[in-house]
Amino acid sequence: MDMRNFYTYMIAMVLGMVGLGMEAQTTPPGKLLLPLVFEKQKVLTDTIATPGIDIQREKPELNYDRSWIDSITTDDKRVDALRYRTMLRHPQDVPYNAKYMRKAPQQYVVKPNPSTNLLTIDTESDANDIIEKPEFADRLPVKRHNWLHTLQASLHFTQAYFSDNWYQGGENNVNVLGDFQWNFNLNQKLHPKFLFDNTLRYKVGVMSSPSDSLRNFTFNEDVLQFNSTFGYKAIKNWYYSTSLQFKTQVFNTYKANSETLKASLLSPAELNIGLGMTFNHKDKDGFFTLSLSVAPLSYNMKYCRDIEKLSPVSFGIDEGHHFAHSFGSKLEAKTNWKISPNISWASRFYVYSNYEYAQGDWENTLDFFITRHLTTRIFVHLRYDKSQPYVDSWKYWQLKETLSFGLTYRFSTSN
């Protein structure tokens, strides 16, 4: 910088100080006397506005004197504003542009290498990376799971209402309900072309039965169910798929005040296998999932093991036979939606028809999480089964509703 430019710069500096209302000796001289270097275009407020002397700041939570750091920060901003205004008013006096300047020399650090018993020379940035990197990080394998598991178990106290033709029986009551569900699904991040979802679930409800003179308790919920869907990717979220569903109950249930058996293990049992297409969608955050399976070709089998004590006709099986077979079509839709951090909704809609009769279920579960393990649950199950006896009040419809409060535990594996 020649003498003319130097004097021009110093005059602008002094004028700027006077305009800011401060004395020249209060501004750090070191940064002001450095050569002007243009780095980038700043916004309008940065180029024109200059920090004032009294800056309003929020009071710190801790009671300490920070006037010294406020003074340094304010002075530094004033110097930056003054230097940039000088570059705007006198661009011919700016000798350097950061874009065309050479990079600063690298700093080298000598570090020991225990694996080779030698000293290595690295740049300062590489050395910092080595220091921050966990020891033996390269030797630790990244474990990827081919199968993703989710385990959920709950124990709830419930209030329940049953329609008078509910297919498993029951009475309005207060009871204890246990629910165990295990999902094991193929990891689609590792196997994007395949879909393999499996669910094993068991629900059992035990209630006191004061109206039953023969038993102290009875079962009003007893469902052991396994669902599986296997598919090969067709396009986007659609898969060529085959689906399987099997369900039965475990314990014996009786009519009140009698030894008449209503249902038992494998009496009834139902198996359905379908071929078709499956649509599978999951948002990137995992808050909403949708699975829709359409099976135009579906095989359905009903089984009654104990036909001596039970009437298979009540399960849609001909008298004196253990099995009933039929072919038809099936539709199943499953939705899981995490409405908020404390509210979740799960729904399952299932319908099967052999073109002579229809059977359908619509299950809805709404969970309110009071804490991580303490929940309130509303469960509503609407069922239609034309193979069941006709009742004037409900016809072929059946309804079940439970309001429960209890403990829930959930465990899952990550990718």
Side-chain angles (χ1 to χ4, degrees):
M1 181 184 297
D2 56 23
M3 293 302 296
R4 182 178 62 84
N5 293 337
F6 176 75
Y7 288 131
T8 301
Y9 174 65
M10 291 302 295
I11 291 172
M13 177 187 70
V14 174
L15 291 176
M17 292 179 179
V18 174
L20 293 173
M22 60 177 293
E23 297 180 357
Q25 62 269 22
T26 61
T27 303
K31 192 173 182 180
L32 278 174
L33 296 179
L34 290 174
L36 295 175
V37 180
F38 177 80
E39 296 182 359
K40 64 179 180 178
Q41 175 67 40
K42 299 184 180 180
V43 297
L44 184 62
T45 55
D46 293 332
T47 60
I48 302 302
T50 304
I53 297 176
D54 297 327
I55 301 178
Q56 298 295 330
R57 294 181 174 88
E58 295 182 359
K59 294 183 180 180
E61 296 181 1
L62 299 178
N63 187 16
Y64 65 94
D65 184 12
R66 54 171 293 165
S67 59
W68 61 275
I69 192 171
D70 292 342
S71 176
I72 293 175
T73 303
T74 303
D75 293 342
D76 188 63
K77 290 181 179 180
R78 290 197 189 99
V79 171
D80 287 339
L82 177 59
R83 286 171 59 84
Y84 195 74
R85 287 197 302 176
T86 302
M87 286 189 283
L88 292 180
R89 296 174 182 177
H90 307 279
Q92 70 278 5
D93 296 331
V94 182
Y96 301 110
N97 189 325
K99 182 178 179 181
Y100 303 107
M101 294 178 66
R102 294 181 178 179
K103 294 183 179 180
Q106 292 183 335
Q107 299 293 325
Y108 293 94
V109 179
V110 178
K111 298 290 293 183
N113 190 339
S115 61
T116 60
N117 294 324
L118 296 175
L119 297 177
T120 59
I121 300 177
D122 300 315
T123 62
E124 188 174 11
S125 59
D126 294 338
N128 292 335
D129 292 341
I130 295 175
I131 293 174
E132 295 176 1
K133 192 173 183 180
E135 187 177 3
F136 306 118
D138 294 335
R139 302 182 185 180
L140 297 177
V142 179
K143 188 175 182 180
R144 306 300 297 270
H145 299 279
N146 289 315
W147 293 92
L148 303 179
H149 300 265
T150 302
L151 176 66
Q152 179 171 307
S154 64
L155 182 64
H156 283 217
F157 300 91
T158 69
Q159 167 271 324
Y161 167 79
F162 300 85
S163 63
D164 52 9
N165 66 330
W166 183 249
Y167 75 109
Q168 287 183 324
E171 59 183 358
N172 301 343
N173 60 89
V174 177
N175 58 76
V176 179
L177 178 65
D179 189 356
F180 171 86
Q181 182 170 328
W182 176 32
N183 299 322
F184 50 103
N185 305 327
L186 189 67
N187 190 345
Q188 288 193 288
K189 291 184 178 180
L190 299 181
H191 309 277
K193 292 185 178 181
F194 294 94
L195 174 69
F196 198 6
D197 294 345
N198 304 275
T199 301
L200 177 63
R201 187 173 189 179
Y202 180 58
K203 294 178 66 176
V204 58
V206 182
M207 70 173 184
S208 59
S209 55
S211 60
D212 193 339
S213 59
L214 300 179
R215 299 165 195 87
N216 296 324
F217 64 89
T218 186
F219 297 94
N220 64 345
E221 182 81 48
D222 188 7
V223 179
L224 176 63
Q225 183 168 327
F226 175 73
N227 290 76
S228 180
T229 302
F230 178 79
Y232 183 79
K233 193 166 189 177
I235 182 174
K236 293 185 178 179
N237 294 329
W238 285 95
Y239 297 81
Y240 304 108
S241 65
T242 177
S243 58
L244 180 146
Q245 174 183 283
F246 174 80
K247 65 178 181 179
T248 184
Q249 72 176 61
V250 177
F251 297 100
N252 296 344
T253 55
Y254 299 87
K255 290 184 178 180
N257 299 307
S258 71
E259 295 294 338
T260 303
L261 191 65
K262 295 188 64 176
S264 64
L265 178 63
L266 299 178
S267 299
E270 188 170 353
L271 174 67
N272 186 280
I273 302 175
L275 295 175
M277 298 284 292
T278 295
F279 175 83
N280 191 59
H281 169 74
K282 182 178 182 180
D283 64 358
K284 62 180 181 179
D285 297 323
F287 293 153
F288 180 83
T289 61
L290 172 63
S291 177
L292 175 63
S293 296
V294 181
L297 179 59
S298 180
Y299 165 73
N300 193 78
M301 181 195 73
K302 292 183 177 181
Y303 173 69
C304 180
R305 177 182 58 87
D306 194 354
I307 61 174
E308 296 179 356
K309 297 180 180 180
L310 292 167
S311 173
V313 177
S314 59
F315 307 129
I317 304 173
D318 293 337
E319 187 67 37
H321 292 78
H322 290 280
F323 294 93
H325 309 273
S326 64
F327 290 90
S329 299
K330 179 183 72 172
L331 172 68
E332 184 177 20
K334 293 184 291 185
T335 302
N336 287 276
W337 181 21
K338 192 172 183 180
I339 303 174
S340 71
N342 297 326
I343 303 175
S344 64
W345 172 57
S347 178
R348 175 180 176 268
F349 177 77
Y350 171 86
V351 60
Y352 168 80
S353 175
N354 67 351
Y355 313 112
E356 292 182 359
Y357 84 98
Q359 174 185 332
D361 293 272
W362 187 24
E363 304 174 27
N364 291 272
T365 304
L366 191 63
D367 285 323
F368 300 88
F369 290 86
I370 303 173
T371 65
R372 183 178 181 182
H373 300 297
L374 194 61
T375 61
T376 297
R377 173 176 295 178
I378 300 175
F379 176 74
V380 180
H381 186 176
L382 182 64
R383 177 180 172 89
Y384 180 86
D385 191 350
K386 203 171 181 180
S387 65
Q388 295 293 313
Y390 182 86
V391 178
D392 292 336
S393 58
W394 286 89
K395 299 180 174 59
Y396 296 112
W397 292 95
Q398 304 174 26
L399 176 66
K400 180 177 183 179
E401 172 269 328
T402 61
L403 172 65
S404 62
F405 175 82
L407 301 174
T408 298
Y409 174 78
R410 181 184 177 89
F411 171 80
S412 62
T413 58
S414 61
N415 296 350

